Amino acid sequence: MKRKTDKMTATVIDGKAFAANVRGKVAAHVTRIKEENGITPGLAVVLVGEDPASQVYVRSKGKMTVEVGMKSVEHRLEADTSEEALLGLIAELNGDPSIHGILVQLPLPGHLDEDLVINSIDPAKDVDGFHISNVGLLGTGQKSMVPCTPLGCLMMLRDHHGSLSGMDAVVIGRSNIVGKPMAQLLLGDSCTVTIAHSRTKDLPDVVRRADIVVAAVGRSQMVPGDWIKPGATVIDVGINRIEKPEGGTRLVGDVDYDSCAAVAGAITPVPGGVGPMTIACLLANTLTACCRAHGLVEPKGLTA
Ligand code: NAD
């Protein structure tokens, strides 16, 4: 799942191949528990409104859920759905024994309270890991559901380095869905962790100290190669669409790929790095939730 090219120093961490491997492991485990225990893991995805990007995500989540042999249920609700109706649906899914994972696609329309909605999901079925109980469990180093994007980053880092113990890690971005849980996971693996953000002073110097840089900012190509310590591992979470000089658009990350790849020891590309791992980890979390619900052995290497 790693490749090197002549033009650059860095090993490219191939998230697409890694994600296919994770989905393969999930599918094999699903087959086994279906055969041995007669249980099919089930994932329910709830989409409110018609945000085009969310519709694409929900479609590909449903497709991949079915591909690994799980049950996939989609609930598409009108944009003006009341909070009461949405909470009612979540209560129903919480009580449905055939559903092991519930994901409410964010962002929600403005009239709905995201925190209230997310915290109404049964924490054991909260496969996005955003419920306040899971945030607390992760923060105190206890067994929890771990947010999918940082979990995918952690898996790729462990695969590349083996142990992360004692490494200096800098996470750029402090969001609840990526930056903060990423920092907790790296701390859990005994890194020395710095969280940088929009008010960080001397960001280039902070980043230059890092053996591991995780960029989760949402600003296209913000991190240039001269911020990177030679040999460091760069995990690029950003997904930004920019105009191409010849017309049309393309996706880029939060790091300037070419200049960073010339200095780094390893780097994830955009697209094809962190992105594919996010859905693979959603499937892994659904399987983990199912195994925990039924007291079955959890799959190895698919959790934090
Ligand atoms: P966010 O907007 O919630 O958070 C961005 C963070 O970046 C903030 O904490 C902010 O303090 C920090 N920041 C902003 N400007 C900065 C600056 N100049 N210097 C340092 N820090 C700065 O974003 P998010 O939800 O965490 O997402 C970050 C990026 O990751 C986005 O591009 C998003 O599309 C992408 N993303 C990708 C995946 C995936 O599956 N690959 C999943 C989630 C998010």
Side-chain angles (χ1 to χ4, degrees), residues 71-191:
K71 169 179 161 170
S72 165
V73 178
E74 280 176 33
H75 290 273
R76 291 168 182 266
L77 308 181
E78 300 291 329
D80 62 356
T81 298
S82 70
E83 205 160 78
E84 198 188 356
L86 180 56
L87 295 178
L89 172 61
I90 293 171
E92 225 174 84
L93 296 169
N94 282 342
D96 182 342
S98 74
I99 295 298
H100 304 93
I102 302 169
L103 180 148
V104 177
Q105 184 66 45
L106 302 179
L108 289 172
H111 67 286
L112 299 170
D113 179 342
E114 277 187 4
D115 288 337
L116 180 74
V117 170
I118 295 305
N119 290 326
S120 74
I121 299 172
D122 176 351
K125 297 190 178 189
D126 168 39
V127 281
D128 251 342
F130 297 158
H131 190 288
I132 193 73
S133 298
N134 283 315
V135 175
L137 290 167
L138 177 63
T140 50
Q142 301 180 67
K143 202 187 241 193
S144 64
M145 296 307 301
V146 177
C148 303
T149 301
L151 178 58
C153 297
L154 182 76
M155 282 184 191
M156 292 192 285
L157 283 167
R158 283 179 176 168
D159 179 71
H160 184 73
H161 287 284
S163 169
L164 307 181
S165 181
M167 296 180 85
D168 283 315
V170 171
V171 179
I172 318 175
R174 58 175 160 182
S175 73
N176 290 338
I177 65 164
V178 189
K180 283 183 202 153
M182 186 74 245
Q184 295 287 7
L185 289 171
L186 291 166
L187 199 55
D189 271 29
S190 301
C191 291

Side-chain angles (χ1 to χ4, degrees), residues 149 172-175 177-178 197-198 203 216-219 222 237-240 254 274-275 278:
T149 301
I172 318 175
R174 58 175 160 182
S175 73
I177 65 164
V178 189
H197 47 78
S198 52
L203 184 60
V217 187
R219 292 172 66 114
M222 189 190 95
V237 181
I239 304 177
N240 311 288
D254 288 344
V274 175
T278 297

Side-chain angles (χ1 to χ4, degrees), residues 12-31:
V12 180
I13 300 176
D14 185 345
K16 208 171 157 191
F18 202 110
N21 188 273
V22 169
R23 291 198 306 275
K25 285 186 189 162
V26 170
H29 204 95
V30 169
T31 303

